[in-house]
Amino acid sequence: NIVKETFLKQEWNIGSAHVLAMLQDAGILTASEFILSLACPDLTQQIMNDLLETEYSLLAHLVKFAFKDNHLSVTLTKLLQECFSGLLNDLKDNPNIIPCNYLAELKAYLPSEELALVRNEHLQLLLMDPDQSGSLDEAIREQDRWRTELEEIKDTVLGSMLREVLPNGTCLLALLKKMLDSCGIISLKYALHLMRSLSKRVGDDNDNIRAMKEWMKTLFTETVATGLKSKLQLMLVLAREICSANQHVLGSYSVWYKQTIGEMKYGGMKKDQFLRMLEMLTEILPSETNLEVLKAHSTIGISAPIRCNEYVLNYKQLCRARIAELHTLYTQVDANGSIIIDD
């Protein structure tokens, strides 16, 4: 076909995507044929990036072809993954680097099953970013700052895409549990953001609320049973995110802390487990930067087993010392409890 051959020989430019869409509609040349014919990786990446910004019918065709069971689809799937991954990284640096949310645009071209696969691919890429995995110590320390950062980009293209990839509650909870239990790479920053988004969205959805409460109870049980600080840290950051987003789920953080930590001795906890919990809370203190959290920890009573009151008093005194230390190190704290460093 002369038209096809002519197009394949032409240099890719601003109007090329529109022409390719016309050729695809006419049954002359499909997007998958064209992409797979390219020999230059840089050009392939450039064209793939262009398709994320315009002519979404072409992108939809590539997605459909990638899910077919043949050797060429494997190549195309890899190209799409690299393209999506690269763009997500760029969006984290500049949340409006592309003009609109292509995931939303694809709704007009893809059936729900394939759309769900694309969303899930983005969700996995978002959560498995090795450059933003971070530690639980960092999550305790930076949680308020992360929350503020992501709140500021809610009206950007990245913010729109984050809402688009959010699955239903049970699916998200299952995914986060699986990733966190595997101890593999996970971006805690985005995991907490998605948890926050889900918490805001549950409303009166009793199934999701029940599932979130059960996860918190399970984490507490695992913390007590294993004595692992990482379990406690995870429980704390999740509880703080949920409580700050929607008090209908767990109550305020103070209420949750009182019921979970303040009354933990009534759950059949042994003395050594109780002391280990206080020890872990103490180990976390150097990472604590939220004054409201520290105030709750320093003032809320913790019912102690016999001859353990002094350990509770010591922990609360250390909380007050940490508050004093932060007041000394920093001069201002904003309304969210986030610390602003005085240069």
Side-chain angles (χ1 to χ4, degrees), residues 4-290:
K4 176 179 177 179
E5 293 301 321
T6 301
F7 181 81
L8 289 172
K9 292 176 183 177
Q10 293 295 314
E11 185 175 332
W12 185 266
N13 56 48
I14 292 175
S16 296
H18 182 61
V19 175
L20 180 56
M22 293 171 62
L23 294 177
Q24 180 169 279
D25 289 342
I28 296 172
L29 177 66
T30 66
S32 57
E33 287 179 288
F34 177 67
I35 289 293
L36 292 171
S37 73
L38 300 172
C40 175
D42 289 341
L43 178 59
T44 302
Q45 189 64 48
Q46 177 197 334
I47 294 171
M48 291 293 291
N49 288 341
D50 285 351
L51 298 187
L52 297 179
E53 300 183 26
T54 184
E55 301 299 338
Y56 299 107
S57 62
L58 299 179
L59 181 59
H61 169 83
L62 293 177
V63 169
K64 290 178 181 178
F65 190 87
F67 291 133
K68 291 182 178 178
D69 188 17
N70 60 62
H71 69 285
L72 292 176
S73 69
V74 174
T75 302
L76 195 54
T77 298
K78 185 179 179 182
L79 285 173
L80 282 170
Q81 288 174 333
E82 291 174 352
C83 182
F84 293 152
S85 178
L87 181 64
L88 282 174
N89 287 333
D90 290 342
L91 281 165
K92 289 170 186 176
D93 293 330
N94 178 357
N96 280 318
I97 199 168
I98 55 175
C100 62
N101 173 7
Y102 58 85
L103 290 176
E105 299 294 333
L106 284 174
K107 292 177 185 177
Y109 302 97
L110 290 176
S112 57
E113 184 177 330
E114 289 175 347
L115 193 60
L117 289 170
V118 178
R119 286 172 175 159
N120 185 62
E121 181 65 33
H122 282 72
L123 182 62
Q124 297 276 353
L125 289 170
L126 193 70
L127 289 173
M128 296 178 69
D129 182 356
D131 294 330
Q132 295 200 336
S133 56
S135 66
L136 283 161
D137 284 333
E138 183 184 7
I140 293 281
R141 186 175 61 252
E142 302 292 346
Q143 186 169 11
D144 293 320
R145 185 176 64 81
W146 288 349
R147 188 183 302 136
T148 301
E149 280 182 10
L150 290 168
E151 188 67 23
E152 288 173 351
I153 59 102
K154 67 179 181 180
D155 295 325
T156 65
V157 173
L158 177 57
S160 174
M161 290 182 69
L162 289 174
R163 290 189 293 275
E164 199 70 44
V165 302
L166 185 66
N168 69 54
T170 52
C171 287
L172 177 62
L173 292 175
L175 176 63
L176 291 179
K177 285 180 189 176
K178 180 180 178 181
M179 295 181 75
L180 290 163
D181 286 343
S182 70
C183 298
I185 292 173
I186 181 170
S187 169
L188 291 169
K189 178 178 180 178
Y190 286 98
L192 290 171
H193 175 71
L194 291 169
M195 198 68 181
R196 179 177 183 80
S197 299
L198 174 61
S199 301
K200 285 183 174 181
R201 204 171 71 175
V202 293
D204 294 322
D205 186 339
N206 290 328
D207 288 340
N208 277 329
I209 291 175
R210 190 180 303 112
M212 294 165 84
K213 286 181 175 180
E214 284 301 318
W215 191 13
M216 292 299 101
K217 289 178 182 177
T218 298
L219 281 172
F220 177 76
T221 301
E222 291 174 349
T223 301
V224 173
T226 63
L228 290 174
K229 185 176 73 170
S230 59
K231 292 286 185 183
L232 176 61
Q233 288 173 308
L234 179 59
M235 179 180 70
L236 289 175
V237 293
L238 287 173
R240 291 170 188 178
E241 206 62 47
I242 294 168
C243 292
S244 71
N246 184 358
Q247 294 188 10
H248 187 61
V249 181
L250 299 175
S252 67
Y253 180 72
S254 294
V255 167
W256 175 84
Y257 181 81
K258 172 65 176 174
Q259 293 173 343
T260 306
I261 303 298
E263 299 173 2
M264 59 184 172
K265 84 161 188 176
Y266 300 116
M269 181 182 283
K270 297 175 182 177
K271 180 179 177 180
D272 63 322
Q273 293 172 327
F274 181 89
L275 294 178
R276 175 56 186 156
M277 186 70 79
L278 289 178
E279 182 182 27
M280 290 187 290
L281 285 167
T282 302
E283 290 172 0
I284 293 170
L285 272 177
S287 299
E288 295 282 17
T289 56
N290 186 306

Side-chain angles (χ1 to χ4, degrees), residues 264-326:
M264 59 184 172
K265 84 161 188 176
Y266 300 116
M269 181 182 283
K270 297 175 182 177
K271 180 179 177 180
D272 63 322
Q273 293 172 327
F274 181 89
L275 294 178
R276 175 56 186 156
M277 186 70 79
L278 289 178
E279 182 182 27
M280 290 187 290
L281 285 167
T282 302
E283 290 172 0
I284 293 170
L285 272 177
S287 299
E288 295 282 17
T289 56
N290 186 306
L291 293 180
E292 289 301 314
V293 164
L294 286 164
K295 181 180 177 182
H297 288 211
S298 68
T299 57
I300 291 173
I302 300 177
S303 299
I306 297 173
R307 290 190 289 277
C308 288
N309 271 324
E310 63 180 286
Y311 296 99
V312 173
L313 293 174
N314 183 56
Y315 170 66
K316 294 171 82 170
Q317 181 58 40
L318 289 171
C319 287
R320 287 190 284 272
R322 178 61 176 160
I323 291 172
E325 180 184 16
L326 291 174

